[in-house]
Amino acid sequence: MSAAEAAGVAAAALWVVLVAATAVVLVRLTRLLKDARRQLTGIAERAVPLLDQAADDLEDARRQLGRVDAVTSDMHRIAAEVQQVTSSASALSATVNSTVAGPLVKAAALGHGVRKAFGGGRKPQQQPPNPRRSRG
């Protein structure tokens, strides 16, 4: 075999090795892509129900917040009405106090004065004699 033939055989062998190496790389790359596709499919199959559940939970939370807002606004309305009732009761108490209490006090004072004037008041109690005074 001549040098040219040996070089040709060596070049052919090199090409066979390169083609075999490329084929091995392509087979491994194909396996990797198949595994990646399988993993992504599994993730998608699990993620879709989770996302649906999360959407349902968010909708429930939104409804509950709407109810809390309604209760809060009702509480503000009730507090305002209680404050109004309290101020009305205070005004009524002041009115009753000024219209009824004053004349009642005057009537009681008049009744006391009339009893005193006509002797209907209490008579003074007689004090028992002091024993120390009688000795001396």
Side-chain angles (χ1 to χ4, degrees):
M1 197 187 242
S2 72
E5 289 178 349
V9 170
L14 181 63
W15 277 108
V16 168
V17 169
L18 282 174
V19 169
T22 304
V24 168
V25 168
L26 287 175
V27 167
R28 288 188 177 179
L29 184 61
T30 303
R31 286 182 189 162
L32 177 67
L33 289 175
K34 284 182 183 177
D35 286 343
R37 180 184 294 160
R38 211 174 315 132
Q39 291 293 328
L40 287 175
T41 302
I43 289 172
E45 288 174 354
R46 286 179 274 163
V48 169
L50 287 175
L51 290 174
D52 290 341
Q53 181 64 39
D56 291 343
D57 291 345
L58 284 174
E59 182 62 27
D60 288 343
R62 187 192 63 77
R63 271 191 241 117
Q64 292 295 331
L65 283 175
R67 290 180 187 152
V68 167
D69 287 343
V71 168
T72 304
S73 66
D74 286 346
M75 291 303 292
H76 287 298
R77 184 180 50 80
I78 288 170
E81 289 176 4
V82 166
Q83 185 176 9
Q84 184 180 4
V85 167
T86 303
S87 64
S88 297
S90 177
L92 178 64
S93 173
T95 302
V96 167
N97 190 24
S98 66
T99 58
V100 175
L104 280 177
V105 169
K106 289 178 182 177
L110 178 66
H112 180 70
V114 168
R115 276 186 299 198
K116 277 250 193 202
F118 290 110
R122 288 180 140 184
K123 294 182 181 179
Q125 293 182 347
Q126 291 184 355
Q127 300 257 340
N130 193 349
R132 290 186 184 179
R133 278 185 157 180
S134 59
R135 286 187 187 175

